[in-house]
Amino acid sequence: MKKILYIFLIVSSYCLSFTISDGKYIEIKDGHFYYNGERIRLWGINIMYHHVKNFKGAEITAKRLKDMGFNCVFIWTVKGAFHSPEKKWIEFVDVKKGSETGLDLLDYFVYCLKKEGIFVAFNLSIRGDTLKEDVYDLAKRNDISKEKWWELIQKGYTRYLKFVDPSIKQAYIEKMKFFLNRKNPYTGKKYSEEECIAFYQLEDEMSFLAWPPGKIDDKDNLFLILLKKKWEEFLKEKYKTNEEMWRVWGERIPDETIDNMKFIFYSGNGYSLTYPEGKKKEFYAGTAFKSTPEKRAEDAWQFLYSLTEEFYRDYLKELRNQAKKGIGANVIPVAVDSVIYTRPGNFYDIAKNSDFLCGTGIGVIGGIDKIDNSYGWKFDVKVPFLSHYSVESTLLKVNNMPYCPLAGSNNLNNPYRGVIPFLRSLWASWQDWDGVFTYWWGYFPKEIDIDYKNYDKFPLRVNYEKEKNRAYDLLNDEISCSIHKLSSLIFLNFLLPPAKNPTKFYFGKKLLYSTDAGDYYHFLYPFMVKTSYKYGAEIIFDEKGDYKVKWDGKVLEGEVENPLIWENGVEWNFEDEYIKIDNKYIKGYAGKVSSDIEFKDRIKIKNINRDFIVFLLVSGDKKEIKNSKFLYYAIVNTAFNSGYKEDFSKLQFFRQHIYEYPLPWSVVVDPGNLPIIVKRVECEIYLPFSGIVENYNFYMEKISEEKFESKIKILEKDPIFFGIIKKLK
């Protein structure tokens, strides 16, 4: 027995550990992330540096993240995180080593993560409320006085200024250089040469071209003033005269000339057009944009794309120059923004300028909905096909380009939240993503120390007030963490093959340079979404193609059949409300339970005490279950604070245009408190072999070890977080 245990510990340690090697960096090859010659995926989590509190908190958090299955952490370095007395707008300040504050704490946290074999990704954005007057001096300019510039900056800063203002542009570059050229005293490496950095993100959810500018005649907005000037310069170079511009465009706005442009695209503010023959056409809010003349729209997109391309080209050149060829910042992937709004122009612009794509990720499966004549929490396997939230995550995979969504969230009020990491591992594998991140890890209350045994010493942060609508913490939610841990094995170990022949959707010039480039794909998404779920899908940009959209492969224009069966062993059963995985490496089930659950290979779950479960049985050594030496398993239902109460008669909605979205916080009349109640699952798991099962609690402590003969009995009273099954024969 001892010999078997010893062998297992060696194998287990090898499976779960990862070493970040000197001189090795994540790079892009064949459209995917690679590390040290092998393809790598990132199962990540968002965290703010101050959530680790101190050095002890940094050490424990890094270890805890590794134990929960994460191999990458996304860290913000923006807005108030750090400050520099020399150049305050840069936001950084060097502090004494060992001070456990500011940048010193960040440095130590990065060191702890690297030691645990966890990669780090950084956001490098600048936010306006940290800008200072001396930023003006970063560029030589005579277009506007420093006093006027600062006056306009204070009236309202926009993140888009970097595309038109040379001083702001240089501020971004200087901040990046400042950060990359700092040496972390704990790793001994400059950040520009640090091996544990997986990628950089310049901006997050900026989406400049999701709402392409219309009216630009605004003398109190610095961005619009500078944008107007550049638009006029662009048109003068292309058309030279008003007459030639009007001839090509075919219509014009009164009092608008090549020297005094009023609009880029037609604005929704309401105005009339005058045609050469004296006819007029009236436009009102919401209708004008789509009526922009074809040639004007083409010019507008060409102009806007050129603005962003110039900034990103110069910024990325400087970033690459912060390290020698083949080292660190010279090769590490960079995304210029996250694709959050699914509009072709914005999407194309970001993809064209990034090394890889990041987006917002999958939201929830199951939410508040109408059930019969009243509202309540509903588990609905069909949600990915119906929800507008699914659009971004399902259809942002670009051919031959890594994709890594950064902010999929969990809502702790949702009793079905355990299925969310399960779902993410399925979809990320099906679409062959290179990473998937959860928003976010969360933080300990000020009065509680970060300690390995303190993760259940504060209640779940549920949505219960409008201003506290941020119940996304993962760290003390045993249900979500359990399935995250097991789902990470599926995704990181490539245990679920992707779609074999994804349908390729081509976006041509008549889409990317038309008013449709600013649309939410209304005419296109309905069957693109269904196609992606049936066959897999990816997008190819063809800006020279003289068409709008075409595709190569099968498309699904009718209803998705029930159940939907993927060739990799996944079944989506809409009628009976469950998702099932049954392949050689994984046995999984998420959904309603009406009877015993049976898988291939004589594996069963019987006598289940709950009407909803999430179950995973996963190979621990990348071998098929029949040949694997050890397996991981987890089975959960839900958890909530003691005294938690909801009243759906108080449900409120967020209304936007013709849509209504239920607000989860509005139904909570009591958020509850400690202790957290975990509704545990009792059942019997039947396996075609005998062995030893070790069960662990939320603190990763072994709570039991038993020999079994083909059946594992799980009792409701046992605080099982996950288990390890070792074969004896």
Side-chain angles (χ1 to χ4, degrees):
M1 186 69 67
K2 290 182 179 179
K3 184 177 181 181
I4 294 172
L5 178 60
Y6 177 72
I7 293 172
F8 165 75
L9 287 174
I10 293 175
V11 176
S12 176
S13 175
Y14 175 78
C15 176
L16 295 177
S17 64
F18 183 85
T19 301
I20 296 175
S21 304
D22 286 344
K24 303 294 182 182
Y25 304 92
I26 288 182
E27 300 181 68
I28 295 174
K29 177 183 176 184
D30 301 326
H32 292 292
F33 290 157
Y34 274 74
Y35 184 78
N36 202 16
E38 295 185 0
R39 190 175 167 192
I40 189 172
R41 282 174 169 170
L42 305 174
W43 186 264
I45 188 79
N46 283 237
I47 194 168
M48 305 299 182
Y49 88 99
H50 54 273
H51 288 180
V52 302
K53 289 189 176 182
N54 48 41
F55 283 2
K56 179 185 176 184
E59 294 164 0
I60 292 172
T61 300
K63 185 177 190 314
R64 187 72 173 173
L65 290 170
K66 178 181 178 180
D67 288 343
M68 295 302 107
F70 296 104
N71 72 338
C72 191
V73 173
F74 182 69
I75 299 177
W76 281 60
T77 60
V78 301
K79 194 177 180 180
F82 321 104
H83 246 48
S84 166
E86 293 82 20
K87 296 182 178 179
K88 292 182 179 180
W89 50 268
I90 292 181
E91 303 172 6
F92 294 127
V93 58
D94 280 315
V95 293
K96 185 178 180 181
K97 180 180 178 181
S99 66
E100 299 189 63
T101 61
L103 200 53
D104 182 59
L105 181 54
L106 177 70
D107 290 339
Y108 190 75
F109 185 43
V110 169
Y111 160 73
C112 293
L113 292 170
K114 183 177 182 180
K115 194 166 58 171
E116 296 290 351
I118 297 174
F119 288 97
V120 181
F122 282 108
N123 175 280
L124 298 175
S125 177
I126 288 180
R127 295 300 173 89
D129 55 1
T130 58
L131 284 173
K132 301 298 179 184
E133 191 173 0
D134 63 351
V135 169
Y136 177 92
D137 300 323
L138 291 174
K140 293 181 179 179
R141 54 195 305 176
N142 54 15
D143 58 319
I144 187 172
S145 70
K146 185 173 184 177
E147 292 72 25
K148 183 64 175 177
W149 180 88
W150 183 238
E151 175 190 336
L152 292 172
I153 285 283
Q154 291 178 300
K155 286 185 176 181
Y157 171 77
T158 170
R159 293 161 76 186
Y160 306 156
L161 264 173
K162 62 179 174 288
F163 298 123
V164 293
D165 188 291
S167 299
I168 302 296
K169 175 181 179 178
Q170 194 60 34
Y172 270 82
I173 291 173
E174 291 299 323
K175 173 188 172 175
M176 172 267 294
K177 291 165 65 175
F178 184 94
F179 179 71
L180 293 186
N181 286 288
R182 282 193 64 263
K183 178 180 282 190
N184 184 331
Y186 302 100
T187 66
K189 296 288 183 75
K190 292 198 302 183
Y191 278 97
S192 62
E193 300 174 351
E194 179 54 74
E195 293 91 350
C196 73
I197 295 180
F199 61 81
Y200 301 110
Q201 182 200 33
L202 173 55
E203 289 283 11
D204 184 59
E205 299 184 8
M206 176 190 64
S207 301
F208 172 37
L209 297 183
W211 294 275
K215 186 178 180 180
I216 55 174
D217 192 17
D218 188 338
K219 295 180 174 55
D220 289 324
N221 184 302
L222 180 59
F223 170 69
L224 295 182
I225 291 170
L226 298 176
L227 184 67
K228 172 182 167 70
K229 183 173 182 292
K230 287 185 174 291
W231 176 228
E232 291 167 355
E233 290 171 352
F234 172 87
L235 294 175
K236 288 175 189 175
E237 182 176 351
K238 183 167 187 176
Y239 292 112
K240 305 297 190 294
T241 67
N242 289 317
E243 289 71 23
E244 178 62 14
M245 181 177 71
W246 293 335
R247 183 189 69 79
V248 173
W249 286 359
E251 59 184 48
R252 67 177 187 264
I253 296 170
D255 301 323
E256 186 180 59
T257 68
I258 203 167
D259 296 303
N260 185 23
M261 300 302 294
K262 306 287 188 180
F263 300 89
I264 293 182
F265 291 93
Y266 287 175
S267 170
N269 295 331
Y271 58 91
S272 63
L273 290 173
T274 301
Y275 288 85
E277 59 271 27
K279 295 180 180 179
K280 289 187 176 182
K281 181 163 58 173
E282 300 293 331
F283 287 97
Y284 299 95
T287 64
F289 179 82
K290 295 286 286 183
S291 298
T292 303
E294 178 182 344
K295 289 298 183 180
R296 179 173 184 142
E298 184 177 331
D299 284 342
W301 283 115
Q302 184 180 347
F303 164 67
L304 293 170
Y305 292 151
S306 69
L307 279 184
T308 57
E309 185 174 6
E310 179 183 1
F311 172 82
Y312 292 132
R313 181 192 64 226
D314 295 345
Y315 180 92
L316 293 173
K317 180 180 179 181
E318 289 287 346
L319 186 148
R320 297 301 184 202
N321 285 338
Q322 302 312 304
K324 296 179 181 178
K325 185 176 181 180
I327 293 176
N330 187 258
V331 295
I332 290 170
V334 182
V336 299
D337 191 14
S338 55
V339 185
I340 180 174
Y341 297 104
T342 50
R343 303 188 183 191
N346 184 63
F347 186 14
Y348 169 62
D349 179 62
I350 294 172
K352 181 172 65 171
N353 293 296
S354 297
D355 298 315
F356 75 101
L357 279 174
C358 55
T360 53
I362 297 176
V364 300
I365 182 167
I368 294 176
D369 204 349
K370 200 160 190 178
I371 304 171
D372 297 325
N373 293 320
S374 61
Y375 282 87
W377 287 101
K378 184 177 180 181
F379 176 76
D380 190 349
V381 179
K382 288 187 179 180
V383 165
F385 299 97
L386 304 177
S387 170
H388 73 285
Y389 290 111
S390 69
V391 168
E392 297 170 22
S393 58
T394 59
L395 292 172
L396 295 185
K397 179 71 174 73
V398 173
N399 175 263
N400 202 35
M401 192 173 193
Y403 180 54
C404 184
L406 295 180
S409 60
N410 299 341
N411 185 312
L412 297 187
N413 299 54
N414 186 351
Y416 306 119
R417 65 187 178 276
V419 77
I420 297 172
F422 180 102
L423 174 65
R424 286 188 186 130
S425 69
L426 298 191
W427 188 250
S429 298
W430 180 243
Q431 285 285 78
D432 204 11
W433 291 352
D434 293 86
V436 57
F437 285 68
T438 294
Y439 181 89
W440 61 20
W441 180 240
Y443 57 94
F444 275 71
K446 292 181 179 179
E447 67 275 11
I448 298 177
D449 291 336
I450 299 179
D451 189 271
Y452 212 92
K453 290 192 175 183
N454 280 353
Y455 281 87
D456 63 353
K457 298 299 188 293
F458 51 100
L460 298 173
R461 290 188 180 92
V462 298
N463 287 330
Y464 67 96
E465 293 178 8
K466 184 176 182 179
E467 64 271 19
K468 296 181 180 179
N469 192 21
R470 289 286 179 177
Y472 306 134
D473 287 15
L474 187 68
L475 77 171
N476 66 331
D477 181 19
E478 180 176 333
I479 299 302
S480 296
C481 284
S482 174
I483 304 304
H484 265 284
K485 181 174 177 64
L486 271 290
S487 296
S488 71
L489 294 173
I490 296 174
F491 184 61
L492 297 178
N493 291 339
F494 298 87
L495 301 184
L496 199 63
K500 291 181 180 178
N501 298 297
T503 301
K504 294 177 174 61
F505 289 92
Y506 294 80
F507 289 3
K509 180 179 180 180
K510 290 186 176 179
L511 173 65
L512 301 174
Y513 287 85
S514 72
T515 55
D516 286 329
D519 184 70
Y520 266 116
Y521 302 175
H522 290 111
F523 74 98
L524 189 58
Y525 263 11
F527 73 91
M528 286 184 72
V529 170
K530 289 184 287 188
T531 294
S532 67
Y533 271 83
K534 172 67 175 177
Y535 305 113
E538 56 190 18
I539 292 170
I540 297 173
F541 294 109
D542 181 13
E543 67 168 8
K544 295 182 179 179
D546 193 27
Y547 58 87
K548 184 174 287 186
V549 178
K550 65 181 183 180
W551 52 84
D552 180 13
K554 298 178 181 179
V555 295
L556 189 64
E557 298 184 70
E559 293 299 315
V560 179
E561 69 269 24
N562 178 48
L564 171 63
I565 308 294
W566 288 349
E567 67 259 19
N568 57 15
V570 176
E571 173 189 349
W572 298 72
N573 192 308
F574 315 130
E575 183 177 347
D576 296 327
E577 296 184 279
Y578 67 78
I579 308 170
K580 188 177 183 180
I581 313 175
D582 195 357
N583 71 11
K584 297 176 181 179
Y585 304 91
I586 312 160
K587 307 297 177 184
Y589 185 96
K592 298 291 182 67
V593 177
S594 57
S595 61
D596 296 340
I597 300 170
E598 296 190 7
F599 301 92
K600 298 174 184 176
D601 309 315
R602 295 182 292 137
I603 297 175
K604 303 176 184 179
I605 313 175
K606 304 184 76 170
N607 300 319
I608 304 167
N609 70 327
R610 302 294 182 191
D611 59 4
F612 171 85
I613 65 165
V614 183
F615 166 78
L616 279 171
L617 178 71
V618 183
S619 168
D621 53 9
K622 304 183 185 180
K623 296 179 181 179
E624 296 180 7
I625 287 176
K626 66 180 181 180
N627 299 322
S628 178
K629 294 287 194 301
F630 64 100
L631 313 168
Y632 289 88
Y633 87 90
I635 186 165
V636 302
N637 176 254
T638 191
F640 46 85
N641 295 328
S642 296
Y644 175 77
K645 293 179 182 178
E646 296 173 328
D647 181 353
F648 280 91
S649 69
K650 300 182 182 298
L651 180 62
Q652 298 178 33
F653 294 86
F654 170 69
R655 288 178 171 82
Q656 186 178 37
H657 304 303
I658 63 173
Y659 301 104
E660 286 188 339
Y661 306 105
L663 298 168
W665 59 264
S666 64
V667 304
V668 180
V669 294
D670 190 336
N673 214 312
L674 293 176
I676 298 171
I677 297 174
V678 181
K679 294 182 70 174
R680 302 193 183 278
V681 178
E682 181 165 306
C683 65
E684 295 165 348
I685 302 175
Y686 288 82
L687 301 166
F689 53 82
S690 60
I692 295 173
V693 58
E694 294 180 346
N695 290 316
Y696 293 79
N697 65 16
F698 194 33
Y699 301 128
M700 305 293 287
E701 298 170 328
K702 187 193 294 185
I703 57 175
S704 65
E705 179 176 350
E706 297 178 1
K707 187 175 180 180
F708 67 89
E709 295 288 342
S710 302
K711 182 179 78 172
I712 297 173
K713 176 69 174 178
I714 298 174
L715 300 176
E716 183 179 347
K717 67 179 180 64
D718 296 334
I720 299 173
F721 177 57
F722 79 101
I724 301 171
I725 298 169
K726 300 174 287 183
K727 291 182 182 178
L728 290 180
K729 61 180 179 180

